[in-house]
Amino acid sequence: MPDDILDYLVIGAGPAGLQLGRHLAEAGRSYLIAEAGPAAGSSFTVFPRHRTLISSNKPHTGSDDPEFNLRMDWNSLLSGDPDLLFTKYTDEYFPPAREYVRYLEDFAKASQLRIAYDTRITRVERDGDFVATDQNGTTYRARRVVSATGVVQKSNVPPVEGIELAEQYATVSVDRRDFVNQRVLIIGAGNSAFETAENLIPSAAVIHVAARNGLKLAWKTHYVGHLRAVNNNFLDTYQLKSQNAVLDGRVLKIARDDQGYLVTFSFVRADEIVKEIRYDRVICATGFRFDHEPFVGAAKPKLVIDDRFPEQTCEYESASVPDLYFAGTITQQRDFKHGTSGFIHGFRYGVRALHRILERKYHGVQWPGVDHAATPAAIADAILARVNRSSALWQQFAVIGDVVVVDGDTARYSEELPVGYVHDTNFGQGRDTFVITLEYGPDHDKVDPFDITVKRTKQNDPTAAYDAAYLHPVIRHWRGGQQVGEHHVAENLENEWDKPAAHVEPLVNFLAAQLR
């Protein structure tokens, strides 16, 4: 056992672990990152299985503002170093996974992070401090543990009779020649399922995708974990009659005999008609779950959402184990299937917020902020300057916000706080507190954005701002734990909220009325 007690043991040297490690190193904290693989980002040597990322990589934006450019760069970690931007590694919009592996290794080296490679934490227990044990029996003692392992360690297997007979997305062959002229069933309706189906279109005879709860398209819901357009060519082969299909319903049973697989299927939209269908292959692509098995005794976290994720507080702390924190894709428990905490372009800001929470909670470091004059005009200028360029508010819409706390003649502007944290910790201490977010309008995911018969609000029209469906700034006024006002800034096609009559003056008037 190392002699020193660590401030933080971070488990996993993927994007979240590296991001947190950099923040901890810059703050001078005692930490160690334990990585099971031989290098940083080892999971990206396997996933995605077909070796192309679907996270946007846009080097050319027409802007030289690095903060603004992160809105279109979904892969870079936060460092302030222009040489550590992923956009310098490839100009492919959907980049190859191998380039991301190279990027993460370079980020770890350039950041001079303290990482123990080939160190798989197999047991975490609580004895006052945390005691973690690796596969070699070496133990590590830490005051706090941050699990940044992602959720790709363990497949999420649905409770279907015979599901053990199916091949798993994580291990099934990706060589389409292994499926020539075969009938294939893919269970799941997310990007891993359709990525697999897309790969098999040229070789398989028939492909059915079983979508228990139907399909949800990311361009409609604005949740990037729903089916992305880059993976939905398969839908063409279904609707244009090329032998493939999406089956709306539930797989009830999987059986196997000398003729292959016999799958019992219940069709939801056909009055629960039950039918048996023959296949040569069955693939389960139903996502992943957090592997909680290394955590034992008093260190074992409570699980939620069908036991897929550890339950977390607004501080990304386990709801049942004090001082056990989570970083990265695991934090999507807080905004499951609504926000971007499950993805790099979202959780990089969540990790930065986590670090600031830890600094404030354990080390007495106040949340960084800037003081402005507490006048409506000065506050409005600060708000609009931020919403016109902030990448955190853009990527973590409705989840992370800026906060203005008015105290006498001073307005303290703090950036990038989890909205839940602001409310649950009474961040403004009962004073006039303005929470600024970017949000879509109500029921934005219920309307087809390409349906021209659906009337939309006018651009730059402050009288219609409350009905805006597209992303726009929202300012909520809180005092003494109660919301006492709300203002929506009129939407704009190019997200430039700087028109005096449309954006500035209405916001100034709102602030003046609220501060009176």
Side-chain angles (χ1 to χ4, degrees), residues 167 172-184 199-200 203-205 281 283:
E167 299 173 88
V172 69
S173 171
V174 294
D175 186 345
R176 62 175 58 135
R177 293 172 297 183
D178 293 339
F179 297 82
V180 170
N181 210 35
Q182 292 185 344
R183 294 174 56 86
V184 181
N199 181 57
L200 299 181
S203 59
R281 308 284 284 270
I283 301 170

Side-chain angles (χ1 to χ4, degrees), residues 139-156:
T139 57
Y140 309 83
R141 185 174 289 272
R143 296 179 179 88
R144 295 154 213 108
V145 168
V146 183
S147 178
T149 54
V151 291
V152 296
Q153 312 162 61
K154 197 170 183 180
S155 295
N156 179 47

Side-chain angles (χ1 to χ4, degrees), residues 368-436:
V370 176
D371 290 336
H372 298 273
T375 64
I379 297 172
D381 285 347
I383 290 173
L384 293 177
R386 275 284 295 167
V387 298
N388 276 302
R389 63 186 295 264
S390 168
S391 60
L393 273 60
W394 178 270
Q395 304 288 24
Q396 283 274 39
F397 53 89
V399 173
I400 283 182
D402 288 352
V403 177
V404 177
V405 178
V406 178
D407 187 7
D409 295 332
T410 302
R412 181 73 170 177
Y413 198 114
S414 302
E415 299 178 0
E416 300 177 19
L417 288 87
V419 173
Y421 177 76
V422 175
H423 300 315
D424 291 354
T425 63
N426 190 21
F427 187 82
Q429 298 297 308
R431 295 185 289 267
D432 286 294
T433 301
F434 296 89
V435 180
I436 301 101

Side-chain angles (χ1 to χ4, degrees), residues 268-294:
V268 173
R269 291 200 295 177
D271 298 324
E272 292 288 347
I273 289 176
V274 175
K275 184 176 181 179
E276 292 184 337
I277 307 177
R278 283 276 177 193
Y279 297 100
D280 299 298
R281 308 284 284 270
V282 177
I283 301 170
C284 184
T286 49
F288 299 91
R289 61 174 59 240
F290 172 69
D291 184 5
H292 66 281
E293 292 183 3

Side-chain angles (χ1 to χ4, degrees), residues 259-381:
Q259 298 181 54
Y261 293 89
L262 184 63
V263 177
T264 306
F265 198 87
S266 174
F267 290 85
V268 173
R269 291 200 295 177
D271 298 324
E272 292 288 347
I273 289 176
V274 175
K275 184 176 181 179
E276 292 184 337
I277 307 177
R278 283 276 177 193
Y279 297 100
D280 299 298
R281 308 284 284 270
V282 177
I283 301 170
C284 184
T286 49
F288 299 91
R289 61 174 59 240
F290 172 69
D291 184 5
H292 66 281
E293 292 183 3
F295 297 87
V296 299
K300 197 173 191 66
K302 178 183 177 183
L303 303 179
V304 292
I305 311 178
D306 297 327
D307 290 343
R308 291 184 63 185
F309 300 95
E311 184 178 15
Q312 297 157 53
T313 71
C314 64
E315 297 181 328
Y316 306 110
E317 185 178 23
S318 167
S320 57
V321 182
D323 301 322
L324 172 60
Y325 291 86
F326 303 96
T329 189
I330 314 173
T331 61
Q332 66 183 283
Q333 183 268 320
R334 296 283 303 172
D335 57 359
F336 188 57
K337 294 194 175 180
H338 292 288
T340 60
S341 293
F343 311 92
I344 297 166
H345 65 291
F347 69 61
R348 61 189 177 191
Y349 303 102
V351 172
R352 181 155 67 185
L354 168 62
H355 176 252
R356 289 172 175 172
I357 289 169
L358 298 173
E359 288 289 293
R360 186 173 185 239
K361 185 174 183 177
Y362 297 110
H363 308 291
V365 179
Q366 292 306 303
W367 204 281
V370 176
D371 290 336
H372 298 273
T375 64
I379 297 172
D381 285 347

